Amino acid sequence: MPNRFLAVDWGTTNLRAWVVGAGGQVEAHREFPLGVSRLAPGEAAERFEDTVRPALGAEGLPAILCGMVGSNLGWRQVDYFPCPADLKTLAGGLKRISTSGPPVFIVPGLCCLRSDGGLDVMRGEEVQILGWIAGSPERSRGKRLVCHPGTHTKWVLLVDGRIERFVTAMTGELFDVLRKYSVLRAPPGYDDAPEDESAFDEGQKAAGDGTALASRLFTARARVAGGTMKPEQVKSYLSGLLIGADVAGTPALLGAGVGTPVVLLGDLDLCRRYQRALETAWATVSIHDGDAAVLAGLGALFEMESVR
Amino acid sequence: MPNRFLAVDWGTTNLRAWVVGAGGQVEAHREFPLGVSRLAPGEAAERFEDTVRPALGAEGLPAILCGMVGSNLGWRQVDYFPCPADLKTLAGGLKRISTSGPPVFIVPGLCCLRSDGGLDVMRGEEVQILGWIAGSPERSRGKRLVCHPGTHTKWVLLVDGRIERFVTAMTGELFDVLRKYSVLRAPPGYDDAPEDESAFDEGQKAAGDGTALASRLFTARARVAGGTMKPEQVKSYLSGLLIGADVAGTPALLGAGVGTPVVLLGDLDLCRRYQRALETAWATVSIHDGDAAVLAGLGALFEMESVR
């Protein structure tokens, strides 16, 4: 292994940083509310040096950064590289942004053409996914579907260890805007309703084959109006309905069928909900922690850069 | 024809009123920003007598009211009647709410069981639809699909002049919340973008078979990010995508196929957008004005009440 380095996943809302030792072990870890949407233009470099490095005792360490830090809202805009892509693609596109002192690199994003029109783009998830692949040789063989759930859920088709293509679904964002602003919003006092697995399952059932989403969403309202669902169940029902519709419809846009093994990667709580929705139909579903994967990916990239 | 009467379509946002003469002709018409969502509890009766009647010179006339005025937010809560239903069903459920003076009636709503779960409900559109049927004897024969587009678009299956069943799609509400609060919201200065028919058509194409809506919505963002669509085109593209997905998916929930004649009823501008989306696949599509239909429906109900 090469020298110690600072690994950073710098997203829209938060920044997560790890000091990785020469043996690959994590020596320090911190999370900061310093996502790029919270920074003024030009502020990223300053906060990195004044806040992030000192908090981790990482002054003077080389660093590698992925995520929205490479967007036009971040520290420096770095290209999107077209799919198919693997870790070598990302390593070849690393952008060194420090002109003096220890090297600081930003990882490029990925893009691809969607079958249903236009470009799709990704920044950050690609490091997790390719890092997950690097974790075991058998992950570089065959066809897999990776689902990275979130505000903008990424569905990614892997072929022989490469990201072949992907699509983004606004599933989490639909949930948020409908819960905050629509007729399905929480009535006063129902914001913190507990998870309700049976309501989630009912919602998934109501998603059916994933068509007519605008119409199926209204069943949440109609059930409450008709007295067959309690207002505190709407949140879980809506979650089941939106995840159910995502699962029923999006994989087909990548040409993936229910026989393709699915890897859920990212926030474990969200992953478990997708697992619940997938397992009614899909053959093989496994869950993997996003943090471990992003560290593996950044570590591999740092190593590839170090030996160049 | 019976005596003169006052016909009122009293919705969530607005109140529309007509004085109808003994010969059926409209003698006066006014619209008021007095929808039930704008009224305090108990205010409806007062505003009706103090504002609506005097503005139309309709003091002392019998009146018949339909729409959300019959909901728990309105003047008096009136039942939902189950489908199948026709004008006789509504006439049998008219609720007289005036205890003295000229009679004032509220028309009941309709409800039905959805194939995808739970009750669905309607208040106001049923009078337009049944009024439209009353306009010509041939409309009481065979199978038709009526689409009443709006915040909550109603798709209604007619069989031999009856409302057999219906589903509600939150198509207009999805458009509103996504344009106001999501990553697809208008950037400053693009709120009043003009209609763009080619962007609408592209959006409809991107809707595909209506599956994976959360994913297809992201194409709007991705096209702008990729430089293949201008920010001012997003509004029309999103409208085409949501209406396209509605048209592609919702009729099947009613068991209606592309051979079923479609009647678009309501706001003519919205009807024309649905027509544009429907005409790529559906055999027969016609547009009819909602105002004329609600007047015909209220007139027929008033006549049925008068001869009882």
Side-chain angles (χ1 to χ4, degrees):
Chain A
M1 277 296 275
N3 294 331
R4 292 169 74 224
F5 75 105
L6 179 59
V8 181
D9 184 4
W10 199 331
T12 303
T13 314
N14 294 308
L15 179 164
R16 294 176 305 150
W18 299 261
V19 174
V20 181
Q25 77 285 12
V26 172
E27 297 181 356
H29 171 52
R30 288 286 298 272
E31 190 161 340
F32 306 85
L34 293 176
V36 299
S37 66
R38 294 170 166 175
L39 300 179
E43 196 187 348
E46 195 184 330
R47 303 307 303 265
F48 183 69
E49 297 299 338
D50 294 358
T51 306
V52 179
R53 280 194 188 275
L56 285 142
E59 292 92 343
L61 280 190
I64 183 159
L65 285 45
C66 70
M68 291 300 283
V69 67
S71 75
N72 60 351
L73 297 174
W75 185 336
R76 181 86 57 83
Q77 193 161 359
V78 178
D79 287 343
Y80 293 113
F81 279 62
C83 292
D86 58 15
L87 276 174
K88 281 188 209 121
T89 316
L90 297 185
L94 286 179
K95 182 118 181 165
R96 179 168 175 162
I97 53 171
S98 54
T99 48
S100 62
V104 175
F105 299 97
I106 295 181
V107 182
L110 293 182
C111 63
C112 74
L113 275 176
R114 292 172 62 116
S115 61
D116 59 342
L119 203 69
D120 209 321
V121 291
M122 181 187 288
R123 265 195 208 285
E125 297 91 349
E126 70 290 338
V127 174
Q128 288 192 34
I129 292 162
L130 295 169
W132 176 82
I133 293 174
S136 161
E138 58 95 20
R139 295 175 185 168
S140 286
R141 288 190 290 270
K143 212 166 161 177
R144 276 179 186 75
L145 195 57
V146 177
C147 174
H148 188 284
T151 302
H152 292 168
T153 292
K154 303 286 181 186
W155 290 88
V156 183
L157 187 69
L158 301 187
V159 178
D160 294 337
R162 289 189 318 273
I163 293 180
E164 192 68 22
R165 56 186 182 277
F166 60 90
V167 295
T168 304
M170 297 174 53
T171 307
E173 186 160 19
L174 273 179
F175 180 83
D176 291 341
V177 298
L178 288 169
R179 276 303 277 177
K180 277 191 196 143
Y181 305 111
S182 83
V183 72
L184 305 182
R185 69 184 163 270
Y190 291 106
D191 268 333
D192 296 323
E195 294 298 320
D196 182 324
E197 291 198 338
S198 87
F200 181 94
D201 292 345
E202 282 298 309
Q204 195 207 335
K205 237 183 278 170
D209 62 1
T211 59
L213 184 61
S215 172
R216 297 180 194 274
L217 287 170
F218 193 74
T219 60
R221 168 78 166 171
R223 279 168 188 243
V224 174
T228 60
M229 188 161 68
K230 293 175 194 156
E232 59 266 35
Q233 296 181 299
V234 171
K235 186 175 163 187
S236 292
Y237 181 88
L238 181 61
S239 173
L241 208 165
L242 288 169
I243 291 175
D246 193 358
V247 159
T250 312
L253 296 179
L254 291 166
V258 295
T260 314
V262 181
V263 175
L264 287 160
L265 194 62
D267 175 77
L268 292 178
D269 208 53
L270 260 181
C271 283
R272 273 189 284 268
R273 290 190 216 185
Y274 268 78
Q275 183 181 36
R276 194 171 174 89
L278 280 159
E279 279 186 339
T280 59
W282 288 67
T284 316
V285 183
S286 58
I287 291 185
H288 301 266
D289 179 44
D291 276 14
V294 77
L295 260 179
L298 289 171
L301 288 170
F302 183 68
E303 195 170 347
M304 289 159 91
E305 175 60 31
S306 304
V307 300
R308 279 220 289 204
Chain B
M1 279 294 275
N3 294 330
R4 293 168 74 222
F5 75 105
L6 178 59
V8 180
D9 183 3
W10 199 330
T12 303
T13 314
N14 293 309
L15 179 164
R16 296 175 305 148
W18 300 263
V19 173
V20 181
Q25 76 286 10
V26 172
E27 294 180 357
H29 171 50
R30 287 286 298 272
E31 191 160 339
F32 306 84
L34 293 177
V36 298
S37 67
R38 295 169 167 176
L39 300 179
E43 196 187 348
E46 195 184 332
R47 303 308 302 264
F48 183 69
E49 298 298 337
D50 295 357
T51 306
V52 179
R53 280 194 186 275
L56 287 141
E59 294 91 343
L61 279 190
I64 183 160
L65 285 45
C66 71
M68 292 299 283
V69 66
S71 76
N72 60 351
L73 299 173
W75 186 334
R76 179 86 58 84
Q77 193 161 0
V78 178
D79 286 343
Y80 294 113
F81 278 62
C83 292
D86 58 15
L87 277 175
K88 280 188 209 121
T89 315
L90 297 185
L94 287 179
K95 182 113 178 173
R96 180 167 175 164
I97 53 169
S98 54
T99 49
S100 62
V104 175
F105 299 96
I106 295 181
V107 182
L110 293 182
C111 63
C112 74
L113 275 175
R114 293 173 62 120
S115 61
D116 59 342
L119 204 70
D120 209 325
V121 292
M122 180 186 288
R123 267 197 204 282
E125 298 90 350
E126 70 290 340
V127 173
Q128 287 192 34
I129 292 162
L130 295 169
W132 176 82
I133 293 174
S136 158
E138 60 93 19
R139 294 174 186 169
S140 286
R141 287 191 290 271
K143 211 166 160 178
R144 278 182 183 74
L145 195 57
V146 176
C147 175
H148 187 284
T151 301
H152 292 169
T153 293
K154 302 288 182 185
W155 290 87
V156 183
L157 187 69
L158 302 186
V159 177
D160 294 338
R162 289 190 316 273
I163 293 180
E164 192 68 21
R165 56 184 183 276
F166 60 91
V167 294
T168 303
M170 296 175 53
T171 307
E173 185 160 21
L174 273 179
F175 180 83
D176 291 341
V177 296
L178 288 168
R179 276 302 277 177
K180 276 188 198 147
Y181 305 110
S182 84
V183 73
L184 305 182
R185 68 183 163 271
Y190 290 106
D191 268 334
D192 297 324
E195 293 298 319
D196 181 324
E197 290 199 338
S198 87
F200 181 94
D201 292 345
E202 282 299 309
Q204 196 207 336
K205 239 182 278 172
D209 62 0
T211 59
L213 183 61
S215 172
R216 296 180 193 276
L217 286 169
F218 194 74
T219 60
R221 169 76 166 172
R223 279 168 189 243
V224 173
T228 59
M229 187 161 68
K230 295 177 192 155
E232 59 265 36
Q233 295 180 299
V234 171
K235 185 176 164 186
S236 292
Y237 181 88
L238 181 61
S239 173
L241 207 166
L242 287 169
I243 291 175
D246 194 359
V247 159
T250 312
L253 295 181
L254 291 165
V258 295
T260 314
V262 181
V263 174
L264 287 160
L265 193 62
D267 175 79
L268 292 178
D269 208 53
L270 261 181
C271 283
R272 274 188 285 267
R273 290 191 216 182
Y274 268 78
Q275 184 180 36
R276 194 171 175 90
L278 280 159
E279 279 186 338
T280 58
W282 287 68
T284 315
V285 183
S286 59
I287 291 186
H288 301 266
D289 178 44
D291 275 14
V294 75
L295 260 180
L298 290 171
L301 288 171
F302 184 68
E303 196 171 345
M304 288 159 91
E305 174 61 31
S306 305
V307 299
R308 283 219 285 201

